[in-house]
Amino acid sequence: MTEITLDKLLSPMQPTWCPGCGNFSILTALKQALVELGLSMEEVVIVFGIGCSGNTADFIKCYGLHGLHGRGMANAIGIKLANHKQKVIMIGGDGDIYGEGLNHLVAACRGNHDITTLVFNNHRYSLTTGQSSPTSAQGTVSKSTPQGLIETPLLALNIAIGNGAGFVARAYAGKLKQMVELIKAGILYEGFSLIDVQQPCPSFNKEQDYAWYQENVFDLDEAYDPSNQAQAMTDILNSQKLSLGILYQNNNRSAYHKGIPQLNEKTLIEQFPNKVDLTKAIKEFI
Ligand SMILES: Cc1ncc(C[n+]2csc(CCOP(=O)(O)OP(=O)(O)O)c2C)c(N)n1
Ligand code: SF4
Ligand SMILES: [Mg+2]
């Protein structure tokens, strides 16, 4: 086993993100969290969606899969069921996970699959140059909504909390230390953890810049009780500003794979080691 260090995670490829992009600090927080958890390179696998967020695949050296836009969660669930000893992390954008991939998100929540999902939520389809996304504010003027967005934003976190996700948190790319702690808590949680990371996109979301976030985020205080599902959903619904921290945590629900007796002892790949022959598939793609 090779212990994770920042050096080991260093990719030979330099990030191609725009100057000031929130993705830089999210990547830093993720790496720091993996190091602080003392995990090994072999036990972590990251599935990436398609987007500026998904391009993180090139900028961190680890086991992983750069999937299809909106479909990464299905891959992540498959990986977890094949080898439930892996720490499986899913990274995607608001367009990817709350838009095209929303049904897969709901499936992951309902099953409470033990996957940690980081949504790089910049409120835009940024890689495709800034169309309105499911989390864009009503009235947003963008290339796809030149007269202003008619729809209201998707209440993604309430969809997750209301549909079985065991751990739901909100982070902000401008608060590194808190991001590290929330990512660590999500990975340690045995069940589905969703961390919505509010991410400035200086190129295509000029409204929600760092100054806007300074005014519009606040930390949950110590009196906040994350075990209260109904209260968590009501607070999200009623709050004018974005609360940061663990919004909901259910410690009474077990993860999906725990409900499968055949996975009690050994993982699927431990049970059927000879059935796994990727030689042909690998030859096809290299
Ligand atoms: C199946 C499929 N649908 C659509 C696209 C086009 N596409 C690529 S990236 C992208 C937008 C990504 O937005 P988001 O998920 O929010 O990520 P961001 O770039 O903002 O990080 C879209 C629509 C695609 N590549 N594949
Ligand atoms: S377009 Fe936005 S999200 Fe994409 S790299 Fe540039 S600043 Fe970041
Ligand atoms: Mg986006």
Side-chain angles (χ1 to χ4, degrees):
M1 291 289 205
T2 312
E3 197 183 337
I4 293 181
T5 60
L6 290 178
D7 278 354
K8 289 263 171 341
L9 295 173
L10 191 64
S11 160
M13 294 173 79
Q14 292 288 323
T16 47
W17 295 315
C18 314
C21 176
N23 291 351
F24 288 99
S25 65
I26 307 177
L27 175 59
T28 301
L30 172 65
K31 287 180 172 180
Q32 188 63 28
L34 294 175
V35 170
E36 288 184 21
L37 285 174
L39 298 167
S40 68
M41 295 296 284
E42 291 81 1
E43 65 189 320
V44 175
V45 58
I46 307 184
V47 178
F48 302 89
I50 299 294
C52 296
S53 40
N55 285 351
T56 307
D58 293 335
F59 315 135
I60 182 168
K61 199 172 165 194
C62 64
Y63 287 104
L65 173 79
H66 202 168
L68 294 176
H69 184 73
R71 309 294 169 212
M73 194 70 80
N75 300 133
I77 291 174
I79 291 168
K80 186 72 193 182
L81 290 178
N83 185 357
H84 61 266
K85 291 183 182 165
Q86 294 289 124
K87 298 281 186 200
V88 181
I89 298 170
M90 168 81 222
I91 286 180
D94 45 310
D96 188 313
I97 291 175
Y98 298 152
E100 201 155 332
L102 184 63
N103 192 23
H104 297 295
L105 172 67
V106 173
C109 294
R110 290 177 57 219
N112 202 29
H113 289 272
D114 185 21
I115 293 164
T116 300
T117 297
L118 301 183
V119 179
F120 293 19
N121 186 356
N122 53 21
H123 308 261
R124 294 289 186 279
Y125 287 101
S126 287
L127 189 72
T128 44
T129 69
Q131 297 82 2
S132 293
S133 84
T135 58
S136 298
Q138 199 176 25
T140 295
V141 174
S142 72
K143 286 176 186 167
S144 59
T145 53
Q147 295 177 314
L149 180 68
I150 295 169
E151 290 98 328
T152 54
L154 186 83
L155 286 174
L157 300 189
N158 276 0
I159 288 177
I161 296 170
N163 284 284
F167 179 107
V168 176
R170 196 192 276 123
Y172 163 47
K175 293 189 80 167
L176 186 68
K177 240 178 118 187
Q178 184 184 51
M179 257 194 299
V180 174
E181 293 309 316
L182 290 173
I183 295 171
K184 276 163 51 184
I187 293 173
L188 290 176
Y189 179 79
E190 208 180 23
F192 188 73
S193 48
L194 173 65
I195 305 171
D196 175 274
V197 188
Q198 296 291 316
Q199 177 237 317
C201 166
S203 295
F204 296 112
N205 186 347
K206 309 268 185 214
E207 296 81 28
Q208 289 166 299
D209 59 7
Y210 290 90
W212 183 91
Y213 275 110
Q214 283 311 116
E215 291 296 315
N216 285 282
V217 293
F218 69 96
D219 291 333
L220 289 166
D221 61 31
E222 283 180 7
Y224 183 81
D225 173 13
S227 69
N228 190 331
Q229 186 186 32
Q231 191 62 50
M233 294 177 75
T234 307
D235 284 359
I236 291 169
L237 195 60
N238 293 336
S239 182
Q240 300 299 310
K241 298 195 175 188
L242 299 165
S243 50
L244 303 177
I246 300 174
L247 305 166
Y248 177 61
Q249 182 164 345
N250 181 349
N251 291 329
N252 299 316
R253 186 173 182 211
S254 56
Y256 187 92
H257 64 272
K258 295 267 177 180
I260 302 176
Q262 292 87 339
L263 298 181
N264 276 354
E265 301 279 324
K266 289 181 172 176
T267 66
L268 268 188
I269 54 168
E270 282 167 341
Q271 292 177 55
F272 302 103
N274 298 330
K275 300 254 182 214
V276 184
D277 182 1
L278 296 176
T279 329
K280 204 169 149 239
I282 289 170
K283 269 195 191 138
E284 200 175 321
F285 291 104
I286 56 171

